[in-house]
Amino acid sequence: MAAKRSVIPFGPQHPVLPEPIHIDLVTEDEKVIEAIPSIGFVHRGLEHLVTKKDFGEMVYVAERICGICSFGHGYGYVDAIEHIMNIEPTNRAKYIRTLLFELSRMHSHILWLGLMADAFGFESLFMETWKYREKVLDMLEAATGGRVIFSIMRIGGLRKDVPDEVLQGFLPGLDEIEEGIKACEKAFLSDPAVLSRLKGVGYLSKEDAIDLGCEGPFLRASGVARDNRTSGYAAYGDMDFEVITSDDGDSYGRCYVRIQEIYQSAGIVRQCIEKMPKEGIYVPIKGFPNGEYMTIIEQPRGGACYYVHASGKKFIERMRVRTPTFANIPALAKTLQGCDVADVPILVVTIDPCISCTER
Amino acid sequence: MRISKSPWLLHYDGSSCNGCDIEVLAATTPRFDVERFGIINTGNPKHADIFLCTGGVNSQNQDVIRQIYDQMPDPKVVLACGICACDGGIFKDCYNILGGTDTVIPVDVYVPGCAVRPEALIDGVVKALKLLDEKADKMKRGEYRSMTSAEYAEALKIKGQLAEAADTEEKDA
């Protein structure tokens, strides 16, 4: 009997999805022929808040673009305003920002590993990875006072200093996390049952990844060495690290890149603690921002752009954010073509979707 | 057997920033581990007893929240997790936010916080369990049936009209 085409709606509320995204899957038997994503369930109209909150308060709004990469969003906005106002934060502020950025990246990647394990049905591995994520959150809480939303960013520096004793206390924790992730890595990268779910699933070639404008670990897993941290914003210029890539281009490669980036981030955190300068953390600001600036940073999910336009008033004119998940959705639709229906949850998770960033 | 011995959770992300959703998930993982109390995070509304809703309500997801709520079997309780689900929070002034979860469905327990901490969430769930048992007892006696979302909308409308009438009376006086 010839296969009949049918459309299966996937989402917005679905057991595997922590966040609402809706995909219409056009299928023939068990194969997906076409995937049509639609978004907009989490749209709040956050960018419009610039007309109601002044440019200092907007830092806290920017942090709430997303609860997972909240530090990065706060950083992107503050960085743009600081460039407009010609403020150079102190080195200590830059180092602490870098450190917190990398801790955020670690917790985001470990979170992703857990969700991935959940997506391929390995519940105990999900629990195991999230156990180590709590240790990262402990460090972030010790440094900032918050678990997921930190509110430590401020235009001109930081709201509070992180004492050196607290920073030194992170070192044993980092070792413990690395050991734990090494143990989990065996399951992700060499367990035959897991490999059968990852190897060759959702292949994306290097050319396609570039053409479709992918970002972040999704792009690097297809063998393109692009990482905005190499531009040296914050204190990344002083740090020693190499861009991690994989030539696999499939779900396995994406797993590999993210696991290696956890170790890389732990390394950068150690370098930050080692080289931490001793000085103030805040440069006073004067007046209101006037001008425009666009900054690009590397979020855990890929490059994110922040555009700010200000005209010397208390309220800025326009803030625009372009997020990595948005850039990855066309590639997701491409990788979904030709996959099995049972693999759809895994492929949706491999782009590490962050819908609340995307829709704001 | 009391229903509170093993209540199942359903979580839906209204229009939250993800912070509360991650904390909801974190509450089920080893550090906080609510699963040891028989609480299971399920994805199916028809299996669920407790509905955890995070984030405010916007024009696109209000029907989704109503559908999920109506599909859940009685007895059921609704938790508004985080300040956005309670009343809109920092996004209250956004053009696409209608308000907290209670603008579309009745809410039993409010758990504020930005982001809500897992400890607070567990406390809220424990309070909800008591309500769940009470509702189950009343249902056995045939005295209770939970409101559907359509009835709730009607009730809100009447409440709004009454408030309006009271306002005009005050002005006249």
Side-chain angles (χ1 to χ4, degrees):
Chain A
M1 201 177 80
K4 208 178 125 210
R5 284 201 173 194
S6 48
V7 179
I8 302 174
F10 181 82
Q13 197 271 331
H14 187 276
V16 76
L17 295 174
E19 288 182 87
I21 180 172
H22 177 87
I23 304 172
D24 278 322
L25 302 168
V26 182
T27 59
E28 253 174 33
D29 288 341
E30 277 292 296
K31 286 271 179 244
V32 177
I33 304 296
E34 201 185 356
I36 306 151
S38 62
I39 55 174
F41 292 93
V42 203
H43 179 63
R44 287 153 279 174
L46 184 146
E47 287 170 1
H48 193 65
L49 273 184
V50 291
T51 57
K52 288 169 184 151
K53 310 254 180 209
D54 70 39
F55 74 100
E57 290 171 330
M58 271 310 282
V59 180
Y60 309 117
V61 178
E63 283 196 336
R64 282 162 180 80
I65 291 175
C66 171
I68 305 177
C69 22
S70 73
F71 186 82
H73 287 302
Y75 180 87
Y77 172 75
V78 167
D79 191 54
I81 294 277
E82 280 172 355
H83 274 96
I84 292 173
M85 296 177 84
N86 284 324
I87 300 166
E88 179 75 15
T90 62
N91 275 334
R92 189 178 174 87
K94 282 184 186 171
Y95 270 71
I96 292 179
R97 283 175 181 185
T98 310
L99 180 140
L100 293 174
F101 213 134
E102 287 309 308
L103 283 177
S104 303
R105 192 182 313 276
M106 279 173 84
H107 107 71
S108 173
H109 280 353
I110 298 176
L111 178 144
W112 177 84
L113 284 178
L115 292 182
M116 190 66 185
D118 194 39
F120 56 63
F122 204 150
E123 189 82 7
S124 54
L125 189 58
F126 163 59
M127 294 293 176
E128 185 72 11
T129 45
W130 276 53
K131 190 172 92 189
Y132 298 109
R133 179 176 169 267
E134 287 293 335
K135 293 192 197 304
V136 185
L137 290 189
D138 282 348
M139 293 179 193
L140 284 167
E141 198 177 348
T144 65
R147 276 167 58 89
V148 288
I149 306 275
F150 313 119
S151 299
I152 195 174
M153 289 300 283
R154 178 188 198 179
I155 295 161
L158 296 167
R159 267 181 54 230
K160 49 195 167 194
D161 196 6
V162 185
D164 284 332
E165 304 84 68
V166 174
L167 293 175
Q168 289 298 328
F170 289 171
L171 294 171
L174 286 173
D175 296 338
E176 208 180 319
I177 293 162
E178 275 194 327
E179 256 169 53
I181 298 298
K182 279 229 163 71
C184 297
E185 183 189 323
K186 275 186 206 140
F188 278 105
L189 301 181
S190 51
D191 184 90
V194 174
L195 287 188
S196 71
R197 297 297 307 273
L198 299 180
K199 273 271 181 198
V201 176
Y203 176 75
L204 189 71
S205 68
K206 191 174 178 176
E207 293 71 33
D208 280 346
I210 294 170
D211 286 349
L212 293 166
C214 295
E215 284 283 0
F218 198 66
L219 175 71
R220 295 196 280 276
S222 289
V224 184
R226 192 195 297 159
D227 187 331
N228 294 319
R229 284 179 289 175
T230 48
S231 70
Y233 65 87
Y236 284 113
D238 302 345
M239 299 296 150
D240 183 26
F241 66 97
E242 266 172 34
V243 180
I244 292 160
T245 58
S246 159
D247 292 327
D248 291 303
D250 54 4
S251 302
Y252 177 84
R254 288 159 210 156
C255 242
Y256 172 83
V257 167
R258 288 197 175 96
I259 290 175
Q260 297 306 317
E261 284 192 6
I262 294 172
Y263 305 138
Q264 182 193 49
S265 294
I268 297 179
V269 172
R270 282 202 194 87
Q271 291 179 45
C272 283
I273 296 173
E274 198 185 308
K275 297 177 188 166
M276 186 66 69
K278 284 196 182 11
E279 57 186 326
I281 48 153
Y282 180 60
V283 183
I285 55 167
K286 241 190 229 162
F288 298 124
N290 190 0
E292 60 179 346
Y293 193 79
M294 184 146 178
T295 182
I296 302 176
I297 59 168
E298 184 76 12
Q299 287 274 24
R301 284 158 188 74
C305 310
Y306 300 82
Y307 168 78
V308 173
H309 176 88
S311 55
K313 291 189 203 122
K314 193 176 163 195
F315 298 96
I316 57 176
E317 297 277 314
R318 180 84 169 96
M319 175 177 83
R320 168 95 176 100
V321 186
R322 185 262 204 181
T323 59
T325 305
F326 186 70
N328 282 336
I329 284 180
L332 171 68
K334 166 97 183 162
T335 52
L336 282 173
Q337 281 170 15
C339 79
D340 293 336
V341 173
D343 281 333
V344 171
I346 288 196
L347 287 176
V348 173
V349 174
T350 54
I351 67 162
D352 201 355
C354 183
I355 310 300
S356 63
C357 297
T358 310
E359 299 170 359
R360 303 178 289 284
Chain B
M1 194 67 186
R2 310 288 292 176
I3 192 169
S4 61
K5 292 286 177 196
S6 180
W8 285 22
L9 302 179
L10 174 75
H11 158 233
Y12 181 72
D13 172 356
S15 60
S16 92
C17 73
N18 250 337
C20 296
D21 308 284
I22 292 308
E23 295 295 55
V24 169
L25 270 184
T28 67
T29 55
R31 170 73 60 85
F32 302 98
D33 200 12
V34 294
E35 290 201 352
R36 70 201 144 127
F37 303 124
I39 298 175
I40 295 178
N41 188 8
T42 172
N44 189 333
K46 300 203 173 185
H47 296 176
D49 306 302
I50 303 180
F51 183 22
L52 302 178
C53 196
T54 56
V57 174
N58 66 22
S59 48
Q60 193 163 4
N61 71 23
Q62 52 177 336
D63 290 332
V64 181
I65 294 175
R66 280 199 192 103
Q67 276 163 22
I68 293 173
Y69 175 79
D70 287 338
Q71 280 179 33
M72 284 170 63
D74 267 342
K76 55 188 166 190
V77 287
V78 179
L79 252 81
C81 306
I83 191 67
C84 298
C86 292
D87 80 333
I90 195 168
F91 304 122
K92 204 173 183 175
D93 296 333
C94 288
Y95 57 82
N96 201 28
I97 293 288
L98 305 175
T101 312
D102 56 7
T103 47
V104 286
I105 55 172
V107 174
D108 298 282
V109 182
Y110 294 85
V111 188
C114 184
V116 59
R117 291 182 69 91
E119 293 94 334
L121 206 59
I122 293 168
D123 188 42
V125 170
V126 169
K127 288 202 165 68
L129 290 182
K130 213 186 250 173
L131 289 171
L132 201 62
D133 275 342
E134 276 171 20
K135 285 185 181 181
D137 287 344
K138 276 190 195 164
M139 265 178 70
K140 270 181 206 152
R141 296 198 296 270
E143 292 167 0
Y144 178 79
R145 174 183 70 84
S146 67
M147 229 181 221
T148 63
S149 60
E151 285 165 355
Y152 182 70
E154 193 61 33
L156 276 187
K157 214 167 136 192
I158 294 169
K159 205 174 153 193
Q161 282 165 355
L162 286 178
E164 217 170 89
D167 272 359
T168 34
E169 257 176 48
E170 247 175 51
K171 266 179 207 160
D172 292 345

